[in-house]
Amino acid sequence: MNRLLVVVDYQKDFVDGALGYAGAERLEQPLLEAVQRALAAGWKVIFTRDTHAPDYLDTREGHFLPVPHCIEGSEGWHLYGRLAEFETAGSESIVFVDKPTFGSMELPEAARALCGGEPEEIALCGVVTNICVVSNAVVLHSAFLSSTITVLKDLCGTSDAALGQKTFDLLAGMGYNVI
């Protein structure tokens, strides 16, 4: 069975950097444990990294969200806390997808390559629920119509809890498992 865990953008800039928010650091240990459990159970893992160039403010996203963040190679671009250990782990079960905007069009191809075809099951978690998590959930659903897709509610975070709940409601209404 091909099963995939996708950890969306749990990077320093979204925890204690340019776009950090109170409480984001509390996801570190539960995310670490989820990745460890997934790998031990034979799942594949993709970490997405929001990745921008120094000209970020000149981009469409930069006009919408005018806060320089996750500049490739900067301290804020790296995974937060103990999850950063996976950046140098060298595992054949882990892939990184650097994405220049909210949703990654490269994510489905990376998932196919890592899983040897369409994953039967995909679980998503990470930050920011109402922007990047939802965007990548939709991208994956569009690419993998037969896959069961679950959003791990307790392993997602955003600075706006009400907007996060609306996002979970939207995803549930679109047929995603939200647990």
Side-chain angles (χ1 to χ4, degrees):
M1 177 185 294
N2 292 323
R3 295 179 294 177
L4 175 66
L5 174 65
V6 178
V7 181
V8 177
D9 297 356
Y10 197 65
Q11 296 161 267
K12 287 187 62 53
D13 269 349
F14 290 114
V15 178
D16 64 2
L19 293 173
Y21 62 93
E25 72 285 349
R26 289 192 293 266
L27 288 172
E28 178 186 1
Q29 188 63 31
L31 285 172
L32 176 66
E33 291 170 4
V35 171
Q36 291 170 334
R37 278 192 310 273
L39 291 170
W43 288 50
K44 306 298 184 185
V45 177
I46 293 178
F47 289 95
T48 69
R49 288 185 294 211
D50 200 40
T51 302
H52 301 295
D55 68 347
Y56 170 76
L57 292 177
D58 296 327
T59 67
R60 182 173 127 350
E61 181 182 319
H63 291 133
F64 168 74
L65 183 62
V67 178
H69 63 282
C70 298
I71 304 301
E72 186 170 11
S74 70
E75 182 179 343
W77 173 75
H78 290 282
L79 296 181
Y80 179 80
R82 296 222 19 231
L83 278 85
E85 296 170 14
F86 292 108
E87 290 178 322
T88 58
S91 171
E92 292 180 9
S93 297
I94 299 173
V95 167
F96 291 86
V97 174
D98 295 335
K99 56 186 194 57
T101 191
F102 305 139
S104 172
M105 298 308 291
E106 291 78 25
L107 185 56
E109 187 53 39
R112 274 187 201 92
L114 184 62
C115 294
E118 181 169 340
E120 294 176 42
E121 184 177 350
I122 302 169
L124 286 102
C125 55
V127 296
V128 169
T129 307
N130 53 294
I131 300 175
C132 293
V133 174
V134 67
S135 296
N136 287 289
V138 169
V139 166
L140 288 166
H141 170 77
S142 298
F144 302 121
L145 300 178
S146 297
S147 298
T148 299
I149 301 179
T150 302
V151 178
L152 304 172
K153 184 177 179 178
D154 292 341
L155 298 180
C156 291
T158 183
S159 62
D160 185 331
L163 197 50
Q165 185 57 53
K166 287 179 183 178
T167 302
F168 294 135
D169 293 344
L170 172 77
L171 289 166
M174 293 170 59
Y176 296 82
N177 297 321
V178 178
I179 59 171

